[in-house]
Amino acid sequence: MTASRICALIALSAVLALAACGRKANLDTPYDAAIEARKQAERDDKPLPPEPEKPVEDRPFILDGLI
């Protein structure tokens, strides 16, 4: 392999590694899952789990723009 091909592979690996470091949007949070579990328990006439605490506001991550 030539030096230019090795450098290109290293650069490609770095780009792919950085692109995979973000967060995917629109996933259910634990808070949303707990709210849904309470609603399901109400519908099924089962004991209600404890009410979840409202989460702190989400802060964007610096690499989220790469996704």
Side-chain angles (χ1 to χ4, degrees), residues 6-21 63 66:
I6 292 173
C7 289
L9 287 176
I10 291 172
L12 179 63
S13 298
V15 168
L16 291 175
L18 288 175
C21 290
L63 296 177
L66 294 175

Side-chain angles (χ1 to χ4, degrees), residues 22-43:
R23 294 182 292 185
K24 185 175 178 180
N26 299 330
L27 295 176
D28 286 341
T29 63
Y31 177 76
D32 294 334
I35 294 294
E36 184 60 36
R38 283 182 62 85
K39 289 178 184 177
Q40 185 66 36
E42 285 178 352
R43 283 180 273 188

